[in-house]
Amino acid sequence: MTDGPAEHLIYADRLVKTYPDGDVHALNGVTVGVRPGQHVAITGPSGCGKSTLLNMLGMLDRPDGGEIYFRGEPLSKHANLDHFRARQIGFVFQSFFLIPTLTARENVQVPMFEGPRLSARERAEKAEALLELVGVAKRASHLPKQLSVGERQRVALARSLANDPVMLLADEPTGNLDSDNAVKVLDLFASLQKSRNLALLVVTHSDEVADRADRVIHMKDGRVLSDSATR
Amino acid sequence: MYFVSFILKNLTRRPVRTALTVLGLAVAVGSMIALLAVSYNVEKSVESAFDRRRVDLVVMQAGKSSGLNSDFSEYLVEEARKLPEVAKVSEGVVDVTDMTRDSGASDPVLIQGWRLDNFGFEDIQIQPGGRMLERGERNKIMLGRTLATNLNKKVGDQIVFGGNKENPYEVVAVFKSFVVFEEGGAIVPFEDGQLLTGKRVTGFSVRVKKVSPDSAAEIEVVRQKLEALRDAKDTTVRLAAQTPDTYVTSVSQLKLIRAVAWLVSAIALAIGVISMLNTMAMSVLERTQEIGILRAVGWPPLRVISMILGEAVVLASIAAVGGTVIAFLGLHLLTLSPKVNGFIEPELALVVILRGVGITVLIGVLGGAYPAFRAAHLLPTEALRHD
Ligand SMILES: Nc1ncnc2c1ncn2[C@@H]1O[C@H](COP(=O)(O)OP(=O)(O)O)[C@@H](O)[C@H]1O
Ligand SMILES: [Mg+2]
């Protein structure tokens, strides 16, 4: 099996990212590829560039050097990555980042404005279905502050699936959860990843989270230290 | 959920701030709408007076287009009357003169000296108990009903000008007119008008004989002939003849009112934009992380701009409604004040409301533009790190 951009859903080739303030070299030539449906964990000490890598792969920011390929296509060709991101990628964050003024049902609909064209009613129905899928349908009309942290992360997970992405990016998704809730949310990730054949990248500090992955990438100082796929 | 619902929810999250912003804007916009209305109503009132009285041309001394400082000889009026195309001429002396109250205080009052055979004033309605001025009468006066109310005078009472108690005027009528400042003023015989103002004639109106369907061309011919009239004894005087439409836009008092109205509008606009800018900038700053999330889930900058601008425009629109209500109440309060009720009508014309609403929406767009632009250009990764 060859191992270039064409064989991967997303492929980062020798990524370099430098933040101007403080001249931080967050990424120093990182090369990783993720195949469709693959479950990858990224671990490493704080500040080693995990989030930066995830943001690059999620097209939230552009690298200063190197190239990212999505389905073999170099992203630097595209002036506008918002559309890509809206339809192909789902994000889950450590602190959930739900919109406080919107109910669970409405939060799930936020990405749908940029997804395939749906009527307001279809959006609401789809949101209901997704909340059902993550087990918080009963809480659909609640505001984030009325939900437990576990429920909030489930709603965030439902939101990440709003436009049926092919890839989920999760940055320490259990970092703010107690171990009970963490296990439940991780089970949910696992089952969704299987049933929807999602590529799933999870940044984590926790060995339990990393152990669930098909593959673990260990980073340090903006470089890949080890990658279980290449071991 | 609709996009609009999201916008509305963002506004209700800080109800006090939203309410204060709306209130501040509404007051600014309300005073603007009220002044625009005053200016508009005065112009409309003058226009409709000429219209109803079927005046084709208004003649004043050239270069003194306010009408109040115009002054020329009756000879020119006679010459105008002789023009074959002229059907009727109606001359007057009009000026603001001090009327002395019983207390000794004085108020400036618009007085019009009329010839009794003037055309066009048939529509003055004498109120019961009064009578029209009669030919050859002197020292008689008819009071507009607003003025009569302000002065608390009725038929049979006496009016004193410039403190001259030896030469009082007797009120023979209180009248209604559809011209608001006629109701706020008084009418005296022509010769008394000349005495009170110290002027010969301040202006005259002309009704043109119309024979062909193209009356505009006929009026133009008369207009040029009128402007060509000369008084050999008073060679410096030239006449300016204007159609009522042109006249209304050139009268300096009306110009002044218009200028003040627009100046206040500009100030309201500036205050509005600054307050909107402040509110929206704060709101964007507070929501930096949220905006980061919206970008992360795929919202393009344009949708973020629509959201922030949408919020600003909704705020402005609510303020526009509030401002219209404030203007309406304010105008009605103003008409209760004797100082101004002589020339203010409380009506709010639709065009004025639309103009005010238009400016307010502009406030929303201008005040929201920069915060919206800032929000749209936040780097999503930076925004998510913000706290
Ligand atoms: N937006 C930014 N501006 C400046 N420095 C940044 C920014 N984002 C990350 N960094 C720095 O880059 C390095 C890598 O950060 P990050 O990718 O967040 O690490 P990790 O997620 O592994 O903890 C850190 O030193 C961090 O301080
Ligand atoms: Mg991180």
Side-chain angles (χ1 to χ4, degrees):
Chain A
M1 187 159 57
T2 50
D3 215 23
E7 284 71 40
H8 293 89
L9 175 66
I10 194 156
Y11 187 87
D13 184 22
R14 286 164 291 171
L15 288 192
V16 175
K17 180 70 184 179
T18 308
Y19 290 108
D21 51 324
D23 218 9
V24 188
H25 298 283
L27 297 179
N28 277 315
V30 171
T31 300
V32 282
V34 179
R35 296 174 194 278
Q38 197 172 36
H39 181 173
V40 181
I42 304 175
T43 63
S46 185
C48 71
K50 306 181 294 293
S51 297
T52 304
L53 176 61
L54 208 67
N55 291 342
M56 299 291 144
L57 294 174
M59 308 170 195
L60 277 182
D61 200 356
R62 291 184 188 260
D64 301 318
E67 179 64 272
I68 300 174
Y69 300 84
F70 187 79
R71 292 195 163 124
E73 228 190 306
L75 291 181
S76 59
K77 281 203 325 199
H78 295 269
N80 182 355
L81 297 177
D82 298 321
H83 192 70
F84 256 111
R85 188 164 63 244
R87 300 191 176 214
Q88 312 285 2
I89 297 168
F91 275 102
V92 177
F93 299 91
Q94 177 173 358
S95 24
F96 328 129
F97 290 147
L98 296 174
I99 310 284
T101 47
L102 301 182
T103 62
R105 187 190 295 109
E106 291 165 340
N107 261 291
V108 176
Q109 293 173 59
V110 168
M112 295 182 193
F113 291 114
E114 294 301 324
R117 204 171 185 76
L118 294 178
S119 70
R121 187 209 197 97
E122 289 166 333
R123 284 197 291 265
E125 281 169 3
K126 188 169 184 188
E128 295 277 355
L130 287 168
L131 289 172
E132 179 82 52
L133 195 65
V134 300
V136 286
K138 286 207 188 82
R139 314 287 276 161
S141 302
H142 289 71
L143 292 173
K145 64 171 183 233
Q146 299 166 320
L147 301 174
S148 73
V149 284
E151 286 168 333
R152 287 182 212 174
Q153 196 58 305
R154 285 159 185 266
V155 174
L157 185 52
R159 177 180 65 188
S160 74
L161 300 173
N163 293 332
D164 304 307
V166 293
M167 178 163 79
L168 271 196
L169 303 178
D171 197 344
E172 313 207 25
T174 57
N176 279 352
L177 302 181
D178 58 68
S179 51
D180 255 15
N181 271 312
V183 169
K184 286 182 188 156
V185 165
L186 288 171
D187 287 347
L188 199 54
F189 266 103
S191 81
L192 288 170
Q193 190 249 332
K194 287 274 165 326
S195 64
R196 302 190 152 219
N197 194 35
L198 293 165
L200 172 61
L201 260 91
V202 185
V203 164
T204 185
H205 272 104
S206 135
D207 290 340
E208 286 138 65
V209 179
D211 285 347
R212 290 169 173 254
D214 306 332
R215 174 182 162 201
V216 179
I217 295 171
H218 197 71
M219 288 180 67
K220 198 180 174 195
D221 295 336
R223 296 172 196 280
V224 174
L225 210 62
S226 69
D227 184 340
S228 65
T230 57
R231 244 190 329 239
Chain B
M1 181 179 58
Y2 293 96
F3 188 51
V4 196
S5 334
F6 187 32
I7 287 175
L8 293 177
K9 289 196 174 212
N10 283 334
L11 290 174
T12 47
R13 94 167 59 187
R14 296 254 185 207
V16 175
R17 182 170 67 197
T18 301
L20 286 177
T21 307
V22 165
L23 189 67
L25 271 179
V27 169
V29 165
S31 46
M32 170 184 86
I33 294 178
L35 263 159
L36 287 175
V38 166
S39 150
Y40 177 88
N41 291 347
V42 168
E43 277 179 33
K44 273 288 158 263
S45 170
V46 175
E47 265 173 36
S48 74
F50 288 126
D51 224 43
R52 289 179 64 151
R53 290 167 184 175
R54 292 196 287 123
V55 171
D56 295 317
L57 289 166
V58 183
V59 188
M60 303 279 164
Q61 184 182 351
K64 305 274 175 77
S65 59
S66 83
L68 297 187
N69 52 1
S70 148
D71 180 21
F72 51 87
S73 68
E74 284 176 73
Y75 169 78
L76 287 172
V77 182
E78 289 318 311
E79 289 303 294
R81 236 187 267 282
K82 285 182 199 155
L83 292 175
E85 301 90 341
V86 168
K88 282 183 168 163
V89 170
S90 175
E91 80 248 55
V93 266
V94 180
D95 205 352
V96 175
T97 304
D98 276 351
M99 188 176 272
T100 314
R101 284 180 185 259
D102 298 339
S103 65
S106 62
D107 299 300
V109 168
L110 185 78
I111 64 156
Q112 307 191 58
W114 277 6
R115 293 236 188 260
L116 294 180
D117 50 4
N118 275 359
F119 79 86
F121 296 97
E122 306 79 22
D123 50 36
I124 291 282
Q125 288 175 44
I126 305 290
Q127 301 217 311
R131 62 164 177 81
M132 200 59 169
L133 291 172
E134 279 163 15
R135 193 173 286 274
E137 263 185 334
R138 298 292 301 267
N139 284 62
K140 304 285 187 233
I141 190 165
M142 306 201 295
L143 300 181
R145 61 171 176 165
T146 316
L147 180 63
T149 312
N150 287 351
L151 295 172
N152 196 19
K153 295 282 186 191
K154 53 183 192 309
V155 172
D157 289 349
Q158 302 216 314
I159 300 284
V160 172
F161 285 101
N164 186 357
K165 290 210 177 72
E166 286 79 58
N167 194 21
Y169 284 70
E170 185 198 340
V171 178
V172 297
V174 173
F175 66 87
K176 269 170 73 171
S177 164
F178 59 89
V179 186
V180 67
F181 41 82
E182 275 181 6
E183 291 199 337
I187 298 172
V188 295
F190 188 76
E191 293 76 13
D192 283 338
Q194 287 180 319
L195 269 179
L196 287 171
T197 64
K199 289 172 181 169
R200 297 164 291 175
V201 181
T202 55
F204 61 92
S205 305
V206 172
R207 200 182 281 169
V208 172
K209 279 182 197 152
K210 279 160 232 145
V211 285
S212 79
D214 185 6
S215 56
E218 290 174 322
I219 292 170
E220 177 57 22
V221 168
V222 178
R223 201 186 69 75
Q224 289 178 7
K225 287 193 176 179
L226 286 168
E227 292 201 340
L229 291 178
R230 294 288 181 275
D231 179 357
K233 296 202 194 94
D234 194 355
T235 50
T236 56
V237 171
R238 299 277 183 282
L239 293 182
Q242 292 170 296
T243 59
D245 288 355
T246 334
Y247 170 71
V248 168
T249 57
S250 72
V251 181
S252 57
Q253 282 87 347
L254 297 185
K255 269 187 184 161
L256 184 70
I257 296 176
R258 202 158 40 219
V260 168
W262 284 109
L263 183 69
V264 169
S265 303
I267 294 171
L269 184 75
I271 294 175
V273 168
I274 292 167
S275 121
M276 182 62 82
L277 197 64
N278 179 48
T279 298
M280 293 314 296
M282 256 168 68
S283 162
V284 164
L285 186 69
E286 282 171 5
R287 287 188 285 161
T288 302
Q289 248 184 15
E290 257 177 72
I291 292 161
I293 268 296
L294 297 176
R295 300 278 287 112
V297 304
W299 279 28
L302 206 60
R303 184 172 291 279
V304 174
I305 289 180
S306 326
M307 175 181 80
I308 306 291
L309 271 187
E311 291 174 24
V313 168
V314 170
L315 267 182
S317 307
I318 301 170
V321 174
T324 307
V325 172
I326 290 175
F328 180 83
L329 297 176
L331 283 173
H332 279 84
L333 276 180
L334 267 184
T335 54
L336 296 180
S337 152
K339 284 208 190 328
V340 290
N341 63 1
F343 61 94
I344 282 185
E345 281 172 299
E347 260 106 88
L348 260 186
L350 188 64
V351 276
V352 172
I353 295 178
L354 290 181
R355 220 178 272 167
V357 169
I359 293 178
T360 316
V361 171
L362 188 68
I363 288 175
V365 173
L366 290 181
Y370 177 68
F373 181 83
R374 280 291 296 268
H377 288 84
L378 283 170
L379 273 180
T381 50
E382 295 278 352
L384 289 172
R385 280 164 58 96
H386 179 101
D387 42 27

